[in-house]
């Protein structure tokens, strides 16, 4: 009898960990990765980059990267990548060729990490119009390998080709607060996240200005730090300070809020970045839980 | 001329008689006793004799028409008012706020007319509850107290706040000012006067913001400079940061972002950049100026505003959450953000001065060192074996909706998060 009650409580806890809204998806906990292949625990990871069969983790507190293989909806291996050029990795993204671009918090440089986990140089943007200096807060890469940088010094979004050559820039909207992340949808539209004013801006692939896509999100989130989009144009915002994920429709409408605060599997604690592996697995750098979690989107 | 006078006199007589007939008709309908109108209320409300002796009497009371604002029988509002205190005035008085105001006095927007005006009578103009500055300083106490102590007071402030500010709303300036800040200042302080030019080292400061350096109310410094003045400003070495006064762009700074400050504050900048985590605004276009005023400030460290106000401008979510909290951490309540956080950079999460899980807490809370509960790096959190137990395993450092900064409502709930076997 007691066992049955425990099972019931457990099931309820799991159900509670992903709030069921009348929204388009459900977040089903799939797997938790808290260690590398040598059982060394992750420490305050702040970045995750998703590839077709790979998840690269910025293991920030340990000053290293950990590359996992995505096998049967689970993370395997966990090869440590230690490079002298990366002492405090923050955001990470993978190129279509399997190379990784990693933003280092201390040097604030973007480090190229080859598919064989070796240092492949720094991303040094070329032909960038004034101001020539760049301070990258975040980055993303589209399906063709073009690189998008959130430049908080120049207050602009920079677009570079895969070799790092400048192709265009879009100024941040005049009424924006603090732009912290960028995503690109399959149509090439650029989305930027304004963490301070709780809004999302969008610029179509042929536009040179950002327009408001979603505003007044303060009723749904506290402080979002990461933005991701899926093949259907839906937008995922990781709300770091209120421990959840907000889902927006392609028109910016609020669709639902998922996950809860906590330490147990399925719960998150100051999540720092999210990425989509394929179109149905959402990977979260669960920073203050020192782990990475996978959720199946159903 | 004669015909006009006679016509006017006749009109007055007709209107008076008509009014009395109307009143008499109403009195009959209301079955008021003869002569009761206007006196009935005062028969009981004796204190109004004193109110009626004051210099300024609200028109309805002057006419002894108490029912202009009050219902003599019943009301859904306090004091038998015809409408709530926030709206009763607007029954007669049109809005004091225009369609597109630049700034609005909060008390007016909130419908708090009676905070400044006495609805019955007063010895002050416009039926104000207090006269002149005393009225303003009854709410703006810190300003009043500060001005009472300062050596130098701006002359218009001595006479009236309304020299520069509107009482209700302003269409032309921020802070209820009668116009834009500089326009207002330059209205009296002519920028083409040799003394003005000389004092400002030939820089065209009329294009800058006067309040960037000057306190428009009063100060202990000559020239009404703010309490804390940046050294180059105090030494009148404007060209240390700005282009030369004779250049084409004299107000332009010599370098953007943090580069400008680095010239003098090199050691501090180096220490800041040597840490793992930077406060991102420091790296933005505004650089140091995101938080600091480069000229002068009332706040120590040349901060643009007191710490809490400054931090909450961006970290609004922290303030929103704080408002919900029942148990609150004292430094947060008092706006001492920098007590735990380093606003420039840190090697720790949340830009804390020490590790926020334990070390930071025990720098004030000594009991943390002799707690009987396992705590510290070697104590594994049973909920998540990647974590060690720290103060933040049970408490949220800023506060929570629960007692003792607990994450959960009851002590039992807190304990059973780990001690699951003890769950009843």
């Amino acid at each position: 009898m007691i066992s049955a009650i425990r099972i019931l409580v457990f099931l309820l806890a799991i159900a509670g960990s992903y709030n069921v809204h009348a929204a388009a998806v459900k977040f089903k906990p799939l797997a938790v990765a808290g260690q590398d292949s040598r059982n060394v625990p992750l420490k305050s990871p702040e970045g995750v980059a998703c590839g077709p069969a790979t998840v690269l983790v910025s293991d920030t507190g340990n000053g290293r990267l950990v590359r996992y293989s995505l096998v049967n909806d689970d993370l395997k291996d966990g090869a440590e990548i230690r490079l002298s050029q990366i002492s405090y990795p923050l955001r990470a993204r993978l190129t279509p060729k399997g190379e990784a671009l990693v933003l280092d918090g201390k040097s604030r440089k973007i480090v190229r990490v080859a598919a064989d986990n070796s240092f492949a140089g720094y991303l040094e943007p070329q032909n960038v119009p004034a101001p020539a200096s760049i301070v990258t807060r975040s980055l993303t890469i589209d399906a063709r390998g073009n690189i998008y940088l959130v430049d908080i010094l120049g207050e602009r979004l920079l677009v570079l080709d895969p070799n790092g050559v400048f192709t265009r820039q879009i100024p941040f909207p005049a009424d924006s607060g603090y732009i912290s992340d960028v995503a690109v949808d399959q149509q090439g539209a650029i989305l930027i996240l304004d963490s301070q004013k709780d809004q999302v801006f969008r610029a179509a692939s042929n536009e040179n200005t950002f327009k408001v896509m979603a505003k007044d999100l303060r009723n749904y989130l506290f402080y979002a730090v990461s933005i991701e989009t899926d093949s259907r144009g839906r937008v995922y915002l990781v709300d770091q300070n209120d421990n959840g994920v907000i889902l927006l429709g392609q028109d910016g409408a609020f669709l639902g809020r998922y996950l809860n605060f906590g330490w147990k599997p399925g719960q998150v604690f100051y999540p720092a970045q999210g990425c989509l592996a394929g179109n149905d697995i959402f990977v979260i750098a669960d920073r203050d839980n020192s782990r990475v979690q996978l959720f199946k989107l159903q | 001329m004669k015909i006009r006078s006679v016509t006017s006199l006749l009109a007055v007589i007709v209107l008076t008689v008509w009014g009395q007939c109307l009143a008499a008709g109403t009195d009959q309908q209301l079955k008021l006793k003869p002569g009761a109108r206007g006196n009935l209320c005062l028969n009981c409300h004796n204190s109004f004799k004193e109110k009626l002796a004051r210099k300024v009497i609200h028109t309805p009371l002057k006419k002894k028409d108490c029912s202009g604002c009050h219902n003599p029988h019943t009301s859904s509002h306090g004091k038998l008012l015809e409408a709530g205190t926030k709206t009763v005035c607007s029954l007669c008085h049109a809005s004091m706020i225009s369609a597109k105001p630049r700034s609005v006095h909060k008390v007016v927007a909130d419908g708090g007319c009676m905070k400044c005006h006495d609805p019955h009578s007063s010895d002050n103009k416009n039926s104000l509850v207090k006269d002149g500055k005393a009225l303003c300083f009854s709410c703006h106490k810190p300003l009043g107290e500060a001005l009472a102590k300062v050596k130098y007071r701006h002359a218009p402030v001595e006479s009236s706040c309304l020299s520069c500010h509107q009482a209700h709303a302003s269409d032309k300036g921020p802070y209820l000012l009668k116009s834009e800040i500089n326009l207002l200042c330059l209205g009296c302080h002519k920028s083409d006067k040799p003394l003005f030019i000389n004092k400002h080292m030939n820089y065209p400061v009329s294009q800058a913001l006067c309040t960037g350096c000057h306190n428009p109310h009063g100060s202990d410094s000559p020239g009404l400079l703010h309490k804390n003045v940046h050294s180059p400003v105090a030494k009148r070495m404007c060209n240390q940061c700005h282009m030369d006064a004779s250049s084409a762009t004299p107000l332009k700074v010599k370098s953007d972002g943090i580069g400008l400050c680095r010239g003098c504050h090199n050691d501090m900048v180096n220490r800041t950049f040597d840490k793992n985590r930077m406060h991102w605004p420091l790296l933005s276009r505004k650089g140091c100026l995101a938080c600091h005023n480069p000229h002068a400030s009332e706040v120590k460290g040349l901060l643009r505003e007191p710490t809490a106000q400054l931090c909450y401008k961006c970290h609004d979510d922290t303030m929103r959450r704080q408002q919900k909290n029942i148990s609150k951490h004292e430094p947060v309540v008092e706006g001492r953000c920098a007590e735990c956080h380093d606003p420039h950079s840190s090697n720790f999460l949340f830009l804390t001065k020490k590790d926020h899980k334990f070390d930071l807490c025990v720098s004030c809370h000594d009991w943390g060192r002799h707690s009987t509960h396992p705590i510290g790096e070697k104590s594994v959190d049973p909920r998540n074996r990647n974590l060690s137990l720290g103060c933040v395993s049970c408490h949220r450092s800023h506060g929570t909706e629960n007692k003792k900064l607990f994450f959960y409502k009851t002590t039992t709930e807190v304990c059973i998060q780990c001690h699951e076997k003890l769950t009843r």
Side-chain angles (χ1 to χ4, degrees):
Chain A
M1 181 62 185
I2 292 170
S3 300
I5 291 170
R6 277 186 184 161
I7 289 167
L8 187 64
V9 168
F10 176 75
L11 289 172
L12 285 172
I14 294 289
S17 70
Y18 54 100
N19 293 349
V20 180
H21 291 266
V25 299
K26 291 176 184 174
F27 274 58
K28 182 187 171 191
L30 264 187
V32 176
Q35 298 173 333
D36 67 6
S37 56
R38 293 179 297 133
N39 297 328
V40 177
L42 301 180
K43 189 177 178 187
S44 309
E46 295 205 35
V48 277
C50 295
T54 308
V55 170
L56 182 77
V57 177
S58 290
D59 187 13
T60 312
N62 286 322
R64 62 175 186 168
L65 304 171
V66 179
R67 195 188 287 267
Y68 291 97
S69 302
L70 187 58
V71 183
N72 299 328
D73 291 350
D74 199 1
L75 294 178
K76 303 287 184 191
D77 306 328
E80 177 185 87
I81 307 168
R82 269 199 194 274
L83 298 169
S84 59
Q85 295 82 2
I86 300 176
S87 63
Y88 203 75
L90 298 175
R91 302 292 168 93
R93 295 285 185 182
L94 290 167
T95 70
K97 292 179 180 174
E99 187 185 55
L101 295 185
V102 180
L103 173 62
D104 183 61
K106 184 151 187 181
S107 66
R108 289 167 297 284
K109 289 180 178 176
I110 296 171
V111 180
R112 289 183 185 272
V113 181
D116 65 359
N117 298 339
S118 63
F119 172 66
Y122 291 107
L123 172 72
E124 287 174 357
Q126 296 159 47
N127 305 337
V128 175
S133 305
I134 296 169
V135 175
T136 306
R137 173 66 186 88
S138 190
L139 72 157
T140 196
I141 300 166
D142 68 16
R144 294 177 191 166
N146 295 310
I147 302 159
Y148 302 75
L149 305 180
V150 173
D151 172 20
I152 58 169
L153 181 64
E155 296 177 356
R156 61 191 168 173
L157 191 286
L158 287 170
V159 185
L160 314 174
D161 74 9
N163 296 315
V165 179
F166 171 85
T167 57
R168 68 181 178 125
Q169 63 178 358
I170 309 175
F172 291 165
D175 59 344
S176 60
Y178 173 60
I179 305 297
S180 63
D181 199 17
V182 57
V184 180
D185 71 14
Q186 291 201 330
Q187 280 70 48
I190 305 169
L191 312 178
I192 54 171
L193 170 64
D194 182 347
S195 299
Q196 186 189 336
K197 294 193 175 174
D198 305 320
Q199 45 192 350
V200 175
F201 295 93
R202 182 178 189 274
S205 57
N206 58 350
E207 289 177 334
N208 281 319
T209 54
F210 283 109
K211 292 171 187 159
V212 172
M213 178 188 180
K215 61 190 291 190
D216 299 330
L217 294 172
R218 60 181 291 152
N219 290 334
Y220 309 114
L221 54 81
F222 269 69
Y223 199 84
V225 293
S226 165
I227 185 168
E228 185 71 319
T229 179
D230 66 15
S231 61
R232 291 162 63 181
R234 293 181 304 192
V235 179
Y236 300 76
L237 305 178
V238 175
D239 185 357
Q240 182 170 81
N241 289 10
D242 205 30
N243 306 293
V245 177
I246 306 298
L247 181 66
L248 305 177
Q250 50 183 274
D251 58 352
F254 172 77
L255 295 181
R257 182 184 169 86
Y258 305 90
L259 307 182
N260 281 320
F261 139 83
W263 297 265
K264 294 173 183 174
Q267 299 174 323
V268 291
F269 198 16
Y270 286 99
Q273 190 181 9
C275 66
L276 276 160
N279 209 30
D280 62 354
I281 294 179
F282 197 77
V283 185
I284 292 181
D286 188 7
R287 190 189 74 182
D288 280 27
N289 274 325
S290 288
R291 65 190 177 195
V292 174
Q293 292 203 68
L294 270 64
F295 295 88
K296 188 89 173 174
L297 304 179
Q298 295 178 323
Chain B
M1 183 67 184
K2 213 172 187 180
I3 295 170
R4 199 179 288 172
S5 301
V6 171
T7 314
S8 303
L9 187 66
L10 276 172
V12 170
I13 291 167
V14 167
L15 283 172
T16 310
V17 171
W18 184 48
Q20 283 178 347
C21 290
L22 272 179
T26 318
D27 288 355
Q28 280 174 359
Q29 282 171 7
L30 295 174
K31 296 182 181 170
L32 284 178
K33 286 179 183 173
R37 168 165 286 278
N39 293 317
L40 196 60
C41 306
L42 302 177
N43 287 344
C44 293
H45 296 277
N46 284 327
S47 64
F48 273 77
K49 282 177 188 158
E50 182 261 327
K51 289 182 193 283
L52 281 163
R54 290 177 186 164
K55 286 181 193 167
V56 182
I57 302 169
H58 196 197
T59 311
L61 180 62
K62 201 185 238 175
K63 291 182 181 171
K64 298 181 181 173
D65 179 19
C66 305
S67 57
C69 299
H70 301 276
N71 187 312
H73 299 124
T74 59
S75 170
S76 303
H77 310 285
K79 308 218 179 256
L80 293 177
L81 282 169
E82 287 286 4
T85 49
K86 291 182 179 177
T87 50
V88 70
C89 304
S90 64
L91 296 178
C92 294
H93 300 276
S95 174
M96 293 293 161
I97 306 169
S98 70
K100 286 185 179 173
R102 280 282 309 278
S103 52
V104 179
H105 200 180
K106 191 173 181 298
V107 73
V108 179
D110 293 346
C113 308
M114 288 173 223
K115 287 197 171 157
C116 297
H117 299 279
D118 189 308
H120 297 118
S121 65
S122 165
D123 284 329
N124 306 310
K125 198 179 164 188
N126 298 322
S127 207
L128 291 170
V129 293
K130 286 183 187 173
D131 189 28
K133 285 182 296 181
L135 176 67
C136 305
F137 293 153
S138 57
C139 286
H140 300 277
K141 272 181 191 158
L143 180 60
E145 286 164 7
L147 275 176
K149 291 176 194 165
V150 294
K151 274 189 195 170
Y152 307 96
R153 286 179 207 94
H154 196 193
V157 180
E158 290 280 44
S159 58
S160 168
C161 303
L162 299 181
S163 306
C164 299
H165 299 277
Q166 302 279 14
H168 298 115
S170 171
D171 294 343
K172 294 178 182 170
Y175 311 110
L176 299 177
L177 289 170
K178 289 179 175 174
S179 69
E180 287 293 351
I181 294 173
N182 275 22
L183 279 176
L184 194 64
C185 304
L186 296 170
C188 295
H189 304 276
K190 301 296 178 194
S191 60
D192 55 354
K193 293 270 173 72
L195 181 65
F196 185 99
I197 295 168
N198 185 33
K199 285 276 183 191
H200 293 99
M201 310 300 292
N202 296 323
Y203 277 89
V205 290
S206 57
Q207 297 163 31
L209 187 67
C210 306
T211 49
C213 295
H214 302 281
N215 186 323
H217 298 118
S219 164
D220 283 332
S221 312
L224 297 185
L225 286 172
H226 286 296
K227 200 173 180 180
N228 304 283
V229 184
H230 196 194
S231 167
V233 177
K235 292 175 188 164
R236 299 192 178 189
M237 293 163 64
C238 309
N239 64 356
Q240 196 161 324
C241 300
H242 292 276
M243 306 298 272
D244 201 76
S246 59
S247 73
T249 52
L251 295 181
K252 196 167 182 257
V253 286
K254 289 180 173 172
S255 172
D256 277 333
I258 205 165
L260 183 69
C261 308
R262 188 169 210 152
C264 294
H265 302 276
N266 196 35
D267 290 348
M268 183 266 170
V269 171
N270 284 345
R271 277 198 308 275
T272 298
F273 275 72
D274 197 37
K275 307 269 175 63
N276 286 332
R277 303 180 78 86
M278 291 278 292
H279 195 195
W280 288 103
L282 197 51
L283 298 166
S284 70
R285 182 180 287 180
K286 286 181 183 168
C288 308
L289 306 190
C291 298
H292 299 278
N293 186 326
H295 299 117
S297 169
E298 287 302 311
V299 188
K300 197 180 164 190
L302 294 178
L303 290 179
R304 289 191 178 276
E305 290 174 86
T307 312
Q309 285 174 37
L310 188 68
C311 300
Y312 289 157
K313 261 196 170 160
C314 294
H315 300 281
D316 166 61
D317 64 299
T318 306
M319 185 174 69
R320 277 191 279 151
R321 186 182 287 282
Q322 192 63 15
Q323 284 165 352
K324 289 183 184 175
N325 291 345
I326 292 171
S327 56
K328 300 176 182 188
H329 197 194
E330 205 173 290
V332 183
V333 175
E334 292 169 4
R336 290 184 279 123
C337 309
E339 193 119 324
C340 298
H341 302 275
D342 186 321
H344 297 122
S345 66
S346 164
N347 283 328
F348 304 102
L349 291 173
F350 305 105
L351 294 179
T352 49
K353 290 177 175 174
K354 293 178 182 175
D355 182 31
H356 74 285
K357 289 170 192 154
F358 181 70
D359 295 344
L360 184 68
C361 310
V362 296
S363 41
C364 291
H365 301 280
D366 187 50
W367 54 262
R369 298 200 182 280
H370 49 79
S371 165
T372 53
H373 192 279
I375 199 163
E377 280 298 316
K378 289 177 183 170
S379 305
V380 175
D381 188 328
R383 299 165 296 183
N384 177 348
R385 304 200 70 78
N386 263 14
L387 303 179
S388 55
L389 285 171
C391 306
V392 294
S393 302
C394 300
H395 306 277
R396 189 176 176 277
S397 50
H398 280 196
T400 65
E401 290 97 326
N402 313 308
K403 63 180 181 180
K404 296 178 182 177
L405 315 186
F406 277 150
F407 280 113
Y408 297 94
K409 200 169 184 179
T410 63
T411 310
T412 311
E413 274 180 280
V414 175
C415 300
I416 62 170
Q417 297 302 315
C418 295
H419 303 280
E420 289 177 327
K421 286 180 183 173
L422 301 177
T423 308
R424 282 178 281 178

